[in-house]
Amino acid sequence: MSTQGNIDSVLTEKRVFECSGAFRSTAHIQSMADYERLYQEAETDPEKFWGGIAAELHWFKPWDKVCEWNCPWAKWFSGGEINLSYNCLDRHVATWRRNKAALIWEGETGEVQTLTYQQLLLEVSKFANVLKSLGVNKGDRVAIYMGMCPALPIAMLACARIGALHTVIFGGFSAHALVDRITDSQACLVITQDGSFRRGAEVKLKPAVDEAVPSCPSVKNVIVFQRTGTPQTMFGGRDHWWHELMAHASDECPAEPLDSEHPLYLLYTSGTTGKPKGILHTTGGYSVGTYITAKWVFDLKDEDVFWCTADLGWVTGHSYVLYGPLQNGATSLMYEGAPNFPEPDRFWRVIERHKVNVFYTAPTAIRAFMRFGAEWPLKHAMKSLRLLGTVGEPINPEAWMWYRENIGRNRCPIVDTWWQTETGMIMIAPLPGATPLKPGSATRALPGVIADVVTREGEPVPPGGGGYLVVKQPWPAMLRTIYGDPQRYVEQYWSQIPGMYFTGDGARKDEDGYFWIMGRIDDVITVSGHRLSTMEVESALVAHPKVAEAAVVARLDDFRGQAIAAFVTLKSGNAPSEELKNELRAWVAKEIGSLAKPDDVRFSDELPKTRSGKITRRLLKEIAAGGEVKGDTTTLEDLSVIARLSAQEE
Ligand code: WT7
């Protein structure tokens, strides 16, 4: 175990997987030598590097300067004029891609809808005219509260086309969360739908809008898309049916040339305080960053069907369901519903039905599939798959190996992509035709991304030591501010370690320069003066044959500062017992060392998770401490779990 740096690192994974010759021979980037060359070029002359990539997109007016950096304020491609909707649509409609599928949508009920680039451009243009007709202007904020259906990307692209900022609010949030976000953004219009299907039932959306909007005086109009057909109360003068407005709209609406720094969208993310932060992304830099990372990391080819399973309510959906793939002229698949409806093999059925080539999902989903059992994916050949990806949290090596063997059939590289709502684009990830893979590592920083692991004082930590993950140079898709709160932007991201972007994550770099993300800094546990990553203890637990999923948090301990509390779900066929508790404690002691041995082990049916699938450690900490659950719980999937766990007090 290394004790250099600030955070002790105990996880050592020795397996390395080289890319197959077959994959490499057709990849956009085919060797580590090419990667190193690109990385060097970007580091030596970032203006030339990013300028070269930006030139692959359409600009109404060229930029004067690639990057103006006045830490922490950035302007990318200043003086340039661009439109993201133009680069996603018009640019391809002028080529052979005109009749290529841009979006393929599958509803949970099984129906399929395909929109070619040309058809999508018509719908987006019509809806842009609808927005204009309701008085939406360049710079206005539009809140979108929908499920996964084609109207959602149409609405987003229509906003981008006229220079209105969209703020997509995940359809699983409550009316209360809607009020907070609409109030903070002062949105003038809400776009919603009657409901969406999930796990065979209707998720009602319009009723939440009806509950929220009376507390939101900024909202003048509500547009309602019809998906389920459930009758709605329409409020005269305020509510309009999508299909009625679209029936009369012209399908011509030229994309508005926008200043490169024109705001593109707001996306709310939770911070350490209860108040959500409106992360602001702007047009030119975000376009360039998502365009090139989608191409490189997912190795997108014109023949590919790309499926990113994220909801468009999250940044992953913004960057890699919609804007990244469409700028590349790719075919992007969207699925409306639950992964296990009607049976646990729905995702594998979707892959077979649409011959998906590149599949991008979250570790939490992969662990759920592990729990359902390998027999479900093994029913399907899934021969079309050539590349797999993960995002959202550290993936433990066991899950990585399961994904590789049972989904990729040992044939597909896995890209573990590290990034954040704030970074807008993937920052650390393998280039699948080049980078040798190590299970559990997001590998190296992408060319143009200067990331490092440093001490609290900003000093680089030598290889093997843990520390704070930072980014030392601006990048095009970086957030520009927190909407309405520039001071919080400066404090949260640029003042913790002055002059560097503070990610809030702990990490270590190994001798090969590979990054091993250890999770959020506030998930780090200090035991007897040694700081341990919760993720590393979790990985050890999950490696036990009876454990499905584990979450580890700290609780105060008079003796050692902090003690480790582990919450564990078991694979089916295993029952909780005192014996098993002791077995698991001994197991971790053996895997990592007695320092990391959990003091408490609690079993549960499920772990409490945010809507995006992240384990809610904050709540588990309160349970571990024996306290009551306080704070913002709007992001919880199932509160009853907390009650069940709390009820297990010994
Ligand atoms: C946080 C950002 C950006 C996509 C979805 C999450 C964690 C994300 C990884 C990864 C380890 C990861 C980090 C990061 N994270 N990807 N590949 N390996 N950790 O966006 O909600 O803004 O969360 O997710 O802790 O800081 P987000």
Side-chain angles (χ1 to χ4, degrees):
M1 188 173 82
S2 163
T3 47
Q4 290 165 321
N6 281 34
I7 302 171
D8 294 341
S9 186
V10 288
L11 190 75
T12 40
E13 169 60 52
K14 296 273 182 258
R15 288 169 286 201
V16 178
F17 295 88
E18 296 281 345
C19 176
S20 75
F23 189 97
R24 187 180 301 264
S25 66
T26 67
H28 286 305
I29 296 169
Q30 305 191 343
S31 70
M32 277 312 261
D34 286 352
Y35 161 81
E36 299 285 4
R37 184 179 48 75
L38 280 169
Y39 192 91
Q40 283 305 323
E41 281 173 19
E43 198 172 25
T44 320
D45 193 347
E47 299 251 329
K48 186 168 167 227
F49 175 80
W50 288 116
I53 294 166
E56 293 177 28
L57 298 177
H58 171 271
W59 294 79
F60 295 99
K61 179 169 171 277
W63 58 88
D64 303 319
K65 179 114 181 71
V66 170
C67 179
E68 284 179 53
W69 179 230
N70 185 5
C71 186
W73 308 106
K75 284 187 182 164
W76 281 86
F77 309 106
S78 46
E81 287 181 4
I82 189 170
N83 185 293
L84 180 50
S85 148
Y86 188 98
N87 275 299
C88 287
L89 302 169
D90 309 60
R91 198 161 55 96
H92 306 306
V93 167
T95 72
W96 68 269
R97 289 198 187 96
R98 178 162 79 94
N99 289 321
K100 174 179 174 176
L103 295 173
I104 299 174
W105 171 81
E106 180 170 318
E108 191 180 72
T109 38
E111 69 272 50
V112 172
Q113 198 180 322
T114 302
L115 284 161
T116 65
Y117 276 93
Q118 188 162 268
Q119 291 166 336
L120 185 57
L121 174 59
L122 288 181
E123 294 302 305
V124 168
S125 300
K126 275 204 281 184
F127 196 67
N129 284 324
V130 164
L131 292 175
K132 285 185 185 172
S133 73
L134 291 177
V136 177
N137 290 312
K138 180 172 154 181
D140 287 349
R141 278 78 56 215
V142 171
I144 304 180
Y145 182 68
M146 300 180 85
M148 287 289 276
C149 67
L152 170 51
I154 289 168
M156 293 166 75
L157 286 162
C159 289
R161 197 161 186 85
I162 65 172
L165 290 72
H166 54 69
T167 180
V168 184
I169 301 159
F170 174 59
F173 280 126
S174 62
H176 178 78
L178 262 173
V179 172
D180 283 353
R181 287 156 178 78
I182 293 172
T183 304
D184 190 81
S185 63
Q186 289 292 294
C188 64
L189 179 111
V190 179
I191 306 166
T192 188
Q193 65 193 65
D194 43 9
S196 181
F197 290 114
R198 194 165 173 93
R199 218 158 278 136
E202 181 178 356
V203 177
K204 294 183 172 25
L205 293 160
K206 170 71 162 50
V209 172
D210 290 340
E211 196 184 327
V213 166
S215 323
C216 304
S218 64
V219 175
K220 303 290 177 257
N221 291 285
V222 175
I223 301 177
V224 188
F225 177 77
Q226 202 168 37
R227 158 68 181 128
T228 60
T230 304
Q232 303 296 319
T233 316
M234 297 295 276
F235 293 86
R238 187 196 81 178
D239 295 355
H240 316 266
W241 285 110
W242 171 291
H243 56 270
E244 287 177 5
L245 296 171
M246 288 290 267
H248 307 294
S250 150
D251 57 18
E252 244 176 89
C253 179
E256 180 84 18
L258 300 169
D259 186 274
S260 179
E261 280 300 329
H262 184 74
L264 175 66
Y265 69 76
L266 294 176
L267 190 57
Y268 286 85
T269 185
S270 40
T272 41
T273 71
K275 189 180 182 287
K277 303 179 279 190
I279 301 302
L280 177 77
H281 284 292
T282 62
T283 309
Y286 178 84
S287 300
V288 172
T290 53
Y291 161 71
I292 197 64
T293 51
K295 177 172 174 177
W296 281 345
V297 177
F298 301 116
D299 193 43
L300 286 181
K301 304 286 167 47
D302 263 314
E303 301 74 33
D304 283 333
V305 174
F306 175 67
W307 185 18
C308 165
T309 67
D311 192 284
L312 276 162
W314 310 114
V315 74
T316 308
H318 284 60
S319 298
Y320 300 109
V321 173
L322 188 56
Y323 293 126
L326 263 51
Q327 284 187 96
N328 279 281
T331 297
S332 183
L333 185 104
M334 290 172 67
Y335 165 63
E336 179 183 40
N340 57 346
F341 185 85
E343 289 196 288
D345 64 346
R346 181 59 180 270
F347 271 19
W348 324 128
R349 280 184 189 279
V350 170
I351 288 174
E352 287 226 301
R353 187 176 190 194
H354 302 281
K355 303 203 168 39
V356 171
N357 306 100
V358 182
F359 177 67
Y360 186 36
T361 195
T364 182
I366 297 166
R367 288 194 299 267
F369 294 129
M370 287 173 77
R371 251 184 120 181
F372 298 147
E375 63 270 26
W376 292 102
L378 294 177
K379 282 187 189 176
H380 303 273
M382 297 193 279
K383 287 209 184 81
S384 56
L385 285 178
R386 62 180 197 92
L387 176 60
L388 305 174
T390 76
V391 62
E393 55 175 319
I395 180 162
N396 45 295
E398 295 316 306
W400 196 98
M401 289 303 301
W402 188 93
Y403 195 30
R404 180 182 158 84
E405 283 161 17
N406 296 287
I407 309 304
R409 311 286 154 87
N410 296 313
R411 180 186 75 231
C412 306
I414 298 178
V415 288
D416 175 353
T417 63
W418 178 89
W419 58 297
Q420 307 176 301
T421 303
E422 292 89 339
T423 70
M425 66 184 215
I426 295 171
M427 302 290 275
I428 302 176
L431 296 174
T435 317
L437 307 173
K438 303 185 188 182
S441 171
T443 78
R444 306 270 302 264
L446 294 182
V449 173
I450 312 298
D452 203 357
V453 176
V454 301
T455 64
R456 203 78 182 79
E457 291 69 46
E459 294 301 323
V461 173
Y468 299 89
L469 180 64
V470 295
V471 186
K472 293 178 160 174
Q473 294 292 331
W475 65 99
M478 64 189 274
L479 79 164
R480 297 300 192 268
T481 190
I482 293 175
Y483 191 69
D485 200 349
Q487 196 50 38
R488 193 173 174 200
Y489 167 73
V490 175
E491 279 162 16
Q492 187 122 15
Y493 301 111
W494 298 95
S495 308
Q496 309 281 334
I497 300 178
M500 297 180 193
Y501 172 77
F502 187 79
T503 66
D505 281 350
R508 80 182 155 88
K509 247 188 342 183
D510 68 16
E511 317 68 45
D512 300 323
Y514 278 47
F515 288 88
W516 297 79
I517 313 297
M518 302 193 294
R520 304 294 301 170
I521 299 289
D522 43 15
D523 293 339
V524 166
I525 304 183
T526 309
V527 183
S528 302
H530 294 273
R531 300 178 70 174
L532 297 168
S533 154
T534 53
M535 182 257 156
E536 292 180 304
V537 182
E538 286 163 11
S539 267
L541 281 166
V542 175
H544 187 280
K546 293 181 184 165
V547 173
E549 201 164 30
V552 163
V553 296
R555 92 175 148 64
L556 284 179
D557 183 84
D558 291 344
F559 188 46
R560 287 160 304 166
Q562 289 188 322
I564 299 175
F567 295 82
V568 167
T569 62
L570 296 174
K571 288 191 183 143
S572 54
N574 297 293
S577 70
E578 204 54 42
E579 241 168 62
L580 185 54
K581 271 188 194 178
N582 292 330
E583 189 180 321
L584 292 179
R585 297 180 68 233
W587 170 271
V588 175
K590 186 174 98 336
E591 291 279 298
I592 304 182
S594 52
L595 185 65
K597 189 164 154 178
D599 299 84
D600 306 331
V601 176
R602 299 186 189 203
F603 300 103
S604 170
D605 280 346
E606 273 177 89
L607 295 173
K609 286 186 187 150
T610 61
R611 306 264 185 193
S612 62
K614 284 202 177 68
I615 291 169
T616 340
R617 290 201 173 68
R618 180 173 55 77
L619 292 164
L620 291 176
K621 272 182 208 164
E622 293 185 26
I623 298 163
E628 268 188 298
V629 176
K630 298 181 282 290
D632 176 15
T633 53
T634 54
T635 52
L636 278 181
E637 181 127 61
D638 185 3
L639 277 167
S640 66
V641 173
I642 289 170
R644 273 211 298 283
L645 283 169
S646 302
Q648 229 186 278
E649 277 297 337
E650 288 167 346

